[in-house]
Amino acid sequence: MPLQRHLDGGSHILLDDGTAIRFTMAAGDRMVTVNLPLSVMRSEFGESRLEPLADFETLREVIEATASQAYDAADEPGDRIDLAAASFKTEASRTYLQTKDD
């Protein structure tokens, strides 16, 4: 089941200790926490002059699509996904990024 953006009127994006962005997505009625290390975001998308949360917002669509792919690919999806550089190397992620560049 693909993950969907979780919207309830408030922000679920947290910058915990300065090393990762944490946000929540929904799998039906189940809430799934997604962690994206800032180092991964920067290595995959480059350095930015934006604050990390602003940078995340500009990249949110592809990050959420990648989180959904990682969730679907898991043998036993849990309540947490830790995105890594390899998460963005899937065929679907590369195709998505190419279509955004066109």
Side-chain angles (χ1 to χ4, degrees), residues 12-77:
H12 293 278
I13 305 166
L14 303 172
L15 190 60
D16 278 356
D17 61 0
T19 63
I21 293 176
R22 179 175 291 161
F23 59 101
T24 305
M25 295 186 74
D29 292 337
R30 182 183 198 179
M31 293 299 108
V32 177
T33 300
V34 183
N35 292 306
L36 173 63
L38 294 180
S39 60
V40 170
M41 186 170 71
R42 290 177 180 135
S43 71
E44 294 306 307
F45 302 105
E47 291 291 328
S48 173
R49 291 186 189 181
L50 300 175
E51 292 295 320
L53 292 176
D55 204 20
F56 169 81
E57 284 299 329
T58 65
L59 302 165
R60 187 173 187 145
E61 198 172 331
V62 68
I63 291 168
E64 287 178 339
T66 301
S68 183
Q69 292 165 24
Y71 183 83
D72 287 342
D75 291 331
E76 294 183 33

